[in-house]
PDB file of all heavy atoms in Angstrom:
ATOM      1  N   LYS A  27    -114.355 200.259  63.264  1.00 94.00           N
ATOM      2  CA  LYS A  27    -113.373 200.329  64.361  1.00 94.00           C
ATOM      3  C   LYS A  27    -114.043 200.463  65.723  1.00 94.00           C
ATOM      4  O   LYS A  27    -113.721 199.708  66.644  1.00 94.00           O
ATOM      5  CB  LYS A  27    -112.405 201.493  64.099  1.00 94.00           C
ATOM      6  CG  LYS A  27    -111.364 201.689  65.193  1.00 94.00           C
ATOM      7  CD  LYS A  27    -110.281 202.653  64.762  1.00 94.00           C
ATOM      8  CE  LYS A  27    -110.833 203.966  64.246  1.00 94.00           C
ATOM      9  NZ  LYS A  27    -111.360 204.850  65.307  1.00 94.00           N
ATOM     10  N   SER A  28    -114.977 201.395  65.838  1.00 92.00           N
ATOM     11  CA  SER A  28    -115.645 201.574  67.140  1.00 92.00           C
ATOM     12  C   SER A  28    -116.387 200.304  67.528  1.00 92.00           C
ATOM     13  O   SER A  28    -116.328 199.867  68.675  1.00 92.00           O
ATOM     14  CB  SER A  28    -116.646 202.723  67.078  1.00 92.00           C
ATOM     15  OG  SER A  28    -116.080 203.836  66.462  1.00 92.00           O
ATOM     16  N   SER A  29    -117.073 199.714  66.561  1.00 95.00           N
ATOM     17  CA  SER A  29    -117.829 198.488  66.850  1.00 95.00           C
ATOM     18  C   SER A  29    -116.891 197.378  67.307  1.00 95.00           C
ATOM     19  O   SER A  29    -117.198 196.630  68.238  1.00 95.00           O
ATOM     20  CB  SER A  29    -118.576 198.013  65.600  1.00 95.00           C
ATOM     21  OG  SER A  29    -119.389 199.035  65.102  1.00 95.00           O
ATOM     22  N   SER A  44    -119.508 205.777  65.098  1.00 50.00           N
ATOM     23  CA  SER A  44    -119.508 207.076  64.433  1.00 50.00           C
ATOM     24  C   SER A  44    -120.775 207.322  63.639  1.00 50.00           C
ATOM     25  O   SER A  44    -121.135 206.539  62.779  1.00 50.00           O
ATOM     26  CB  SER A  44    -118.296 207.176  63.508  1.00 50.00           C
ATOM     27  OG  SER A  44    -118.280 206.063  62.666  1.00 50.00           O
ATOM     28  N   ASP A 136    -119.237 188.948  58.906  1.00 98.00           N
ATOM     29  CA  ASP A 136    -120.599 188.397  58.792  1.00 98.00           C
ATOM     30  C   ASP A 136    -121.326 188.880  57.553  1.00 98.00           C
ATOM     31  O   ASP A 136    -122.349 188.322  57.168  1.00 98.00           O
ATOM     32  CB  ASP A 136    -121.408 188.773  60.050  1.00 98.00           C
ATOM     33  CG  ASP A 136    -121.526 190.280  60.221  1.00 98.00           C
ATOM     34  OD1 ASP A 136    -120.519 190.941  60.553  1.00 98.00           O
ATOM     35  OD2 ASP A 136    -122.610 190.826  59.987  1.00 98.00           O
ATOM     36  N   SER A 169    -118.107 192.219  64.539  1.00 97.00           N
ATOM     37  CA  SER A 169    -118.625 192.801  65.775  1.00 97.00           C
ATOM     38  C   SER A 169    -120.046 192.335  66.036  1.00 97.00           C
ATOM     39  O   SER A 169    -120.516 192.365  67.160  1.00 97.00           O
ATOM     40  CB  SER A 169    -118.601 194.326  65.691  1.00 97.00           C
ATOM     41  OG  SER A 169    -117.299 194.732  65.396  1.00 97.00           O
TER      42      SER A 169
HETATM   43  P1  GDP B 201    -115.910 203.352  62.518  1.00 66.86           P
HETATM   44  O1  GDP B 201    -116.248 204.623  61.802  1.00 66.86           O
HETATM   45  O2  GDP B 201    -114.739 202.662  61.890  1.00 66.86           O
HETATM   46  O3  GDP B 201    -115.773 203.483  64.009  1.00 66.86           O
HETATM   47  O4  GDP B 201    -117.133 202.328  62.227  1.00 66.86           O
HETATM   48  P2  GDP B 201    -118.384 201.953  63.131  1.00 66.86           P
HETATM   49  O5  GDP B 201    -117.999 201.005  64.208  1.00 66.86           O
HETATM   50  O6  GDP B 201    -119.096 203.197  63.505  1.00 66.86           O
HETATM   51  O7  GDP B 201    -119.217 201.089  62.069  1.00 66.86           O
HETATM   52  C1  GDP B 201    -119.672 201.631  60.855  1.00 66.86           C
HETATM   53  C2  GDP B 201    -120.974 200.930  60.452  1.00 66.86           C
HETATM   54  O8  GDP B 201    -120.727 199.553  60.188  1.00 66.86           O
HETATM   55  C3  GDP B 201    -122.029 200.959  61.556  1.00 66.86           C
HETATM   56  O9  GDP B 201    -123.284 201.110  60.942  1.00 66.86           O
HETATM   57  C4  GDP B 201    -121.893 199.597  62.210  1.00 66.86           C
HETATM   58  O10 GDP B 201    -123.106 199.152  62.798  1.00 66.86           O
HETATM   59  C5  GDP B 201    -121.512 198.721  61.038  1.00 66.86           C
HETATM   60  N1  GDP B 201    -120.663 197.598  61.471  1.00 66.86           N
HETATM   61  C6  GDP B 201    -119.504 197.682  62.129  1.00 66.86           C
HETATM   62  N2  GDP B 201    -118.971 196.465  62.364  1.00 66.86           N
HETATM   63  C7  GDP B 201    -119.843 195.566  61.856  1.00 66.86           C
HETATM   64  C8  GDP B 201    -119.851 194.136  61.785  1.00 66.86           C
HETATM   65  O11 GDP B 201    -118.953 193.415  62.239  1.00 66.86           O
HETATM   66  N3  GDP B 201    -120.910 193.573  61.123  1.00 66.86           N
HETATM   67  C9  GDP B 201    -121.913 194.302  60.597  1.00 66.86           C
HETATM   68  N4  GDP B 201    -122.899 193.654  59.972  1.00 66.86           N
HETATM   69  N5  GDP B 201    -121.936 195.659  60.639  1.00 66.86           N
HETATM   70  C10 GDP B 201    -120.914 196.290  61.256  1.00 66.86           C
END
Side-chain angles (χ1 to χ4, degrees):
K27 178 169 52 74
S28 314
S29 305
S44 53
D136 60 289
S169 304

